[in-house]
Amino acid sequence: MIDWQPTSPWTGIDIPMCDGIVIVAEALSFARLRLLPGADFTGLPGPRQAQNRWLNMGPCEWLFCGNHCPRPDAIDMSDALVALSISGENVFDLLSAGIAIDWQRFSVGTCARMRLGETAVVLHRREEQQFRLIFGAPFARYLAEWLAHHV
Amino acid sequence: MSGARRPGGGRIDRNRPLCFSFDGRTLSGFAGDTLASALLANGVDVVGRSFKYHRPRGVFAAGAEEPNAVVQLEIGAYLSPNRVATEIELYEGLVAHSVNAWPSLGFDLYAINDRLSRLLPAGFYYKTFMWPHWHLFEGTIRKAAGLGAAPTQPDPDRYEHRHAHCDVLVIGGGQAGISAARDAAQSGARVMLVEASSELGGRALWAGDAINVDQTENLTILTRTTAFGYYDHNLVAAVEDCSSGVAKERLWKIRAKQVVIATGAIERPLVFPGNDVPGVMLASAVQRYAHGFGVAAGKRVALFGNNDGLFDYATAFEAAGIEIAAILDTRRGEEVIGVKGRKRVRAVQTSRGEIACDLLAVSGGWSPVVHLFSQSGGSISFCDKRQMFVPDKAVQQVRCVGAANGDFDLNTQPWQSRAKGKAFVDLANDVTAADVMLAARENYASVEHLKRYTTLGMGPDQGKTSNVNGLMLMGDATGRTPDAVGTTRFRPPYTPISFGVISGARVGNLMRPRKFLPAHGWHQTLGAVFEDYGWQRPDAYPQAGESLGEAAIREARAVRTSAGLFDASPLGKIEVWGSDAARFLDFIYVGTMSTLNPGRIRYGLMLDENGVIIDDGVAIRLAEDRFLLHTTSGGAERIAAMLDEWLQCEFSGWDVRVLDCTLQWGTVTLSGPNAIEVATALGLPVEALPHMHFRADQLGNVPVRVARVSYTGEATLEISVPARYVKSLLETAAAIAGVTPFGVLALDLLRTEKGYVHVGADTDGMTTPGDIGLGRAIAKKTSDFVGRRSLLRPACAREDRLQLVGLESANALPIGAHIMEGSNAPCPSGGFVTSTCISPTLGRPIALARIREGRARLGETVKLFDLGQIFEAKIVAPCFLDPDGRRLHD
């Protein structure tokens, strides 16, 4: 019989540290919700917005970040995705090395799919100088190396 | 040796002396010098040899327009070729070497080219060296061509990229640029000001005018930053030299609402015989070296020009202690008709007689730096009054100001030399006035043809001092105005940039993202050799003393005789659900999925609109309204996107949703005659699970999905669990006696033995289902599906298409070997080998191939050709092992 022992995607990967930047791997569950056009979107955020634990990912699509997704029709993606919290006074210098976004127009509470370096990520601005990066678990090592190179 | 440091003056720091070397000579300069100014201060007259004729050349200009002073900077891994000495800030220990001279700069054997110049006119390689054959000379000529040498070691320096946004981007930190930036900043806009040199001020710095910049929070100033490219949507690329920091260079990608170009203007030289002798310089450069760097480029100067600026220069030169030998103004009929001296000007021959001097400062008017404006898509036009090309219509949010806009008040009169002798238009590429005339005579009169035929403006300086003179000459020769001749479209980069800064961090592991399996570490502990298949996947698990190939054969045999364990986590897994899911999949697949019962599996092909196979895999019906599609490992994202596109564009009213769950589920394949037994021992729900059936269950708290489907030809279970549990599953299964982990190489051997198609290897951009023997599904299916219309064309039903078959041969056949449709090569190709191996099970070479009318030629012996070798093989059915499929069902 199998002794099921979960493996963390961050096993064997060093998360970089440096002055002025705090990078933390977040232990979160994820779920993707896809609805049909015309469905009831009550309680879900609008385009590129994040509310509570829901992030709008595009037309009729949301990502839940947290524990215990309240929607049974959402599909569990907890093993597919990982998240990093990146904060600190130098956070813009770090992220601007790989993300082509105007930080003045990307206000707190906003989220968007974008490219960091060569990888697709979801970026959520949680506070003025605090961001959450969500990306595919197989890219954890690449992202850690990318961040280590740039910090 | 004529140049010398003046006792005072300049913006250098005389308290910080610096040592550097040039061609092995140790020299000294000061902080604030450029390499060019330091070389002039040390009396170095000849800094390089010219591109074609190997004529001695000296420093000619003082900025990015320098055509002569090209050097190799540093050595070994830090070597940076073809750097312009005028753009290199001097630093302690700098090492530079001249280029294009052999064996030495002083004695260059290739200078014979100058004597043979009659054999080397523009386009000589189309006309001369033709007998007995061009290729006899080609090697020598190519070896002699080119400038510096590329480094042979990896670049150890670090480079960065940085994105930035602003309301107003001002390019150029001269007076006009500073003024524009200040005004914009005062209005509250976010402003960025980039300046190529180390200080703001431009010409005002060395003309003695006051510079005043109020630094404010909304004004970002980047010095040592050269904007080199202007792209759509007001995206400007700039390179910052930050060698004093962690990175050597930083590539800025700046998106601005509005761009102000204040890049100034470049002084034009005059074209006359001997205008390339060291000591002939742009007058503005002489002034800049004198007042910016405290360097007198000569002791006694003759000034030669066609505009009012000559007299200002004379005043400035006198103030710098340079004796004025003569002022020759073409507007008064005075002109230089020759220059005496080879490695340094000794005298100039003029219409007034010979004048002794060691420096000839020339001024032929000015050319606004419209490069970036032109790159932005803006048009430029020729201003007769000012004799220069100026910005005209903009197509992006951009405007030019100051000298870049042609805001001069100079009385300039065009002038062409009629004197005989080698007069250079393009010093960087050794293009003479005679070359331009030759191009005109041979009807290469278009400016684009002129450029390519003569190489005018194609040197590292991109013709900054030569293009306008060249096209004015062409205009004279063909009776056209400069406006009618026009200019070539300016293209990035404005100045040469390093490959390092283009690459940025994309080196080594960061070259492209590597995707790692959830159980990557476990594979490592087993000694897996990884290959990048989009994912880092084990090719094989070699044991001590075993090669990769031997390991793959051992692993494949273990699968055929016992049980193999394969990490198939990258297998595409797309969930499709909704009340219209079944009919949607009927449209997507060639086969019919709506008739599939829940818990059953069906193989399917996906086509594009041309009827070409783009992916294959199985569809599993999880429930009446829910399907799980297994796609190829590399195709998951692409296919999920394609399904979304169809839904959003064609079936937006259908109740269907799609989600790519590939990363959520890790998949382990158990394959072999003992696979079911092993799975049972693991406690998996596989009892009485027939081939092409599916079961989902919970083991403890872990959801498990088991699909009995095979890509090896053996009884196989594809077991999917949430990715975090894959390692546990692999570890436990591998611990069971008789279970052998196998990699991608063994999988390829196994599926080739069975004749299973690998989409992308056995198929290409022309392969239809009929070509691989799966045309029956099309014939049966009456409803529409993607690609159906194309497949119904007669061309897709022709029997002489390339059809998938097997090949048996005495020797292993190489992939790509062509079936010969004649007895001797060369002859037409009748198809080619797509997969090949020496079968571990059968012990002989086998191959898959796509051969013209292949299915009708079973049993025929054919010849194959590959890289000069000829092989023989017999055409057989593509399935070499267990054609009845008993192994799948046992």
Side-chain angles (χ1 to χ4, degrees), chain B residues 554-602:
Chain B
R554 173 182 52 76
E555 293 166 8
R557 284 183 179 146
V559 175
R560 290 275 181 249
T561 55
S562 179
L565 184 67
F566 180 74
D567 190 342
S569 296
L571 180 74
K573 294 169 276 276
I574 301 171
E575 292 207 20
V576 181
W577 71 98
S579 58
D580 292 316
R583 69 166 172 150
F584 176 61
L585 294 183
D586 280 352
F587 178 75
I588 292 298
Y589 280 104
V590 174
T592 303
M593 299 304 171
S594 56
T595 56
L596 198 60
N597 290 323
R600 296 294 299 269
I601 300 172
R602 187 167 289 161

Side-chain angles (χ1 to χ4, degrees), chain A residues 5 7 34 79 96 102 149, chain B residues 158 190 658 664 724 728:
Chain A
Q5 295 294 331
T7 311
R34 295 204 82 166
D79 290 64
S96 292
D102 185 351
H149 179 86
Chain B
R158 178 192 166 96
R190 276 187 298 165
V658 172
Q664 171 66 16
R724 73 186 68 180
S728 292

Side-chain angles (χ1 to χ4, degrees), chain B residues 116-137:
Chain B
L116 301 173
S117 58
R118 289 177 67 83
L119 290 171
L120 303 167
F124 71 91
Y125 30 82
Y126 301 126
K127 303 170 182 170
T128 54
F129 301 102
M130 288 295 148
W131 186 88
H133 201 279
W134 157 253
H135 293 301
L136 191 66
F137 309 99

Side-chain angles (χ1 to χ4, degrees), chain B residues 373-453:
Chain B
F373 182 79
S374 175
Q375 287 177 26
S376 77
S379 60
I380 55 177
S381 59
F382 192 77
C383 173
D384 281 329
K385 187 182 168 197
R386 291 172 287 177
Q387 288 293 299
M388 60 179 70
F389 281 93
V390 293
D392 196 350
K393 293 191 180 88
V395 297
Q396 299 200 49
Q397 290 298 314
V398 56
R399 66 190 173 95
C400 295
V401 297
N405 199 38
D407 295 342
F408 293 100
D409 190 17
L410 275 182
N411 179 2
T412 304
Q413 199 172 73
W415 172 81
Q416 301 288 355
S417 174
R418 304 293 169 201
K420 290 191 174 176
K422 207 173 267 174
F424 286 89
V425 181
D426 185 346
L427 293 167
N429 262 4
D430 267 355
V431 179
T432 63
D435 289 330
V436 176
M437 294 303 168
L438 178 68
R441 285 200 304 279
E442 296 186 348
N443 203 27
Y444 292 105
S446 147
V447 67
E448 298 289 351
H449 291 158
L450 170 67
K451 172 183 172 181
R452 284 155 184 83
Y453 189 61

Side-chain angles (χ1 to χ4, degrees), chain A residues 1-7 32 34-37 61 73 75-80 92-93 96-105 115 118-119 136-139 141-142 145-146 149-151, chain B residues 158 161-163 165 190 255 257 505-506 509-510 512-516 535 575 577 626 644 654-661 663-664 681-683 699 702 721-725 727-729 732:
Chain A
M1 298 299 284
I2 304 162
D3 177 19
W4 298 110
Q5 295 294 331
T7 311
R32 291 277 280 272
R34 295 204 82 166
L35 299 177
L36 291 173
E61 185 172 353
D73 50 345
I75 291 187
D76 183 21
M77 297 296 274
S78 303
D79 290 64
F92 299 108
D93 283 345
S96 292
I99 291 179
I101 201 163
D102 185 351
W103 301 113
Q104 280 204 355
R105 289 159 163 258
R115 190 167 129 158
E118 306 298 312
T119 316
F139 295 110
R141 190 180 301 263
Y142 170 80
E145 288 174 350
W146 189 94
H149 179 86
H150 286 89
V151 298
Chain B
R158 178 192 166 96
H161 287 187
R162 182 71 60 87
H163 296 273
H165 295 256
R190 276 187 298 165
R255 289 165 174 85
K257 285 182 187 164
R506 288 172 297 186
N509 285 346
L510 299 180
R512 69 190 189 95
R514 293 181 301 159
K515 287 171 86 171
F516 290 90
W535 292 69
E575 292 207 20
W577 71 98
R626 199 174 198 96
D644 255 338
W654 285 22
D655 175 14
V656 184
R657 277 150 286 173
V658 172
L659 194 62
D660 180 3
C661 299
L663 304 184
Q664 171 66 16
L682 289 168
L699 282 187
V702 178
V721 293
R724 73 186 68 180
Y725 295 116
K727 187 184 165 201
S728 292
L729 179 56
T732 313

Side-chain angles (χ1 to χ4, degrees), chain B residues 477-773:
Chain B
T478 55
R480 292 178 294 168
T481 63
D483 216 18
V485 177
T487 65
T488 52
R489 167 71 73 186
F490 293 90
R491 291 177 298 187
Y494 169 66
T495 54
I497 56 171
S498 65
F499 281 110
V501 83
I502 296 171
S503 175
R506 288 172 297 186
V507 292
N509 285 346
L510 299 180
M511 181 69 190
R512 69 190 189 95
R514 293 181 301 159
K515 287 171 86 171
F516 290 90
L517 296 169
H520 182 80
W522 181 79
H523 295 294
Q524 281 180 312
T525 60
L526 261 63
V529 174
F530 293 91
E531 180 60 67
D532 196 330
Y533 293 95
W535 292 69
Q536 295 287 311
R537 303 185 72 172
D539 251 348
Y541 304 82
Q543 295 177 349
E546 208 176 36
S547 71
L548 207 57
E550 288 165 347
I553 289 169
R554 173 182 52 76
E555 293 166 8
R557 284 183 179 146
V559 175
R560 290 275 181 249
T561 55
S562 179
L565 184 67
F566 180 74
D567 190 342
S569 296
L571 180 74
K573 294 169 276 276
I574 301 171
E575 292 207 20
V576 181
W577 71 98
S579 58
D580 292 316
R583 69 166 172 150
F584 176 61
L585 294 183
D586 280 352
F587 178 75
I588 292 298
Y589 280 104
V590 174
T592 303
M593 299 304 171
S594 56
T595 56
L596 198 60
N597 290 323
R600 296 294 299 269
I601 300 172
R602 187 167 289 161
Y603 177 76
L605 289 173
M606 289 187 196
L607 313 181
D608 65 12
E609 293 89 332
N610 300 309
V612 169
I613 299 167
I614 55 168
D615 207 87
D616 73 339
V618 296
I620 302 166
R621 192 158 198 171
L622 302 176
E624 197 58 40
D625 64 346
R626 199 174 198 96
F627 289 81
L628 173 63
L629 315 186
H630 282 184
T631 70
T632 54
S633 300
E637 289 176 37
R638 177 171 47 89
I639 296 300
M642 182 194 81
L643 300 182
D644 255 338
E645 186 180 349
W646 277 111
L647 284 172
Q648 289 179 24
C649 299
E650 301 293 334
F651 307 113
S652 57
W654 285 22
D655 175 14
V656 184
R657 277 150 286 173
V658 172
L659 194 62
D660 180 3
C661 299
T662 303
L663 304 184
Q664 171 66 16
W665 295 87
T667 302
V668 171
T669 298
L670 264 174
S671 184
N674 299 338
I676 307 296
E677 191 182 315
V678 172
T680 308
L682 289 168
L684 295 167
V686 296
E687 204 175 323
L689 184 69
H691 186 57
M692 302 304 267
H693 281 66
F694 172 85
R695 191 169 291 158
D697 209 337
Q698 290 268 132
L699 282 187
N701 291 325
V702 178
V704 179
R705 291 173 164 182
V706 183
R708 185 158 173 191
V709 59
S710 177
Y711 193 50
T712 64
E714 300 295 328
T716 302
L717 299 163
E718 288 181 353
I719 307 148
S720 297
V721 293
R724 73 186 68 180
Y725 295 116
V726 168
K727 187 184 165 201
S728 292
L729 179 56
L730 284 166
E731 257 177 356
T732 313
I736 294 175
V739 174
T740 303
F742 67 102
V744 173
L745 294 182
L747 181 69
D748 198 48
L749 295 174
L750 295 162
R751 70 93 195 166
T752 304
E753 287 180 336
K754 184 66 181 169
Y756 285 148
V757 170
H758 180 192
V759 171
D762 298 309
T763 69
D764 58 24
M766 294 187 294
T767 313
T768 64
D771 297 340
I772 60 167

Side-chain angles (χ1 to χ4, degrees), chain B residues 16-88:
Chain B
R16 288 178 57 203
L18 301 171
C19 276
F20 70 102
S21 87
F22 178 69
D23 275 350
R25 283 174 63 196
T26 301
L27 305 169
S28 65
F30 294 107
D33 262 326
T34 62
L35 176 59
S37 69
L39 288 170
L40 283 171
N42 282 276
V44 177
D45 295 330
V46 180
V47 295
R49 290 278 178 162
S50 70
F51 179 71
K52 190 158 90 173
Y53 300 123
H54 287 252
R55 289 164 68 100
R57 291 282 168 81
V59 174
F60 185 74
E65 70 274 21
E66 170 62 40
N68 288 337
V70 173
V71 299
Q72 297 274 98
L73 189 63
E74 297 304 332
I75 53 173
Y78 292 94
L79 181 102
S80 181
N82 293 345
R83 296 288 299 273
V84 183
T86 52
E87 296 284 273
I88 301 169

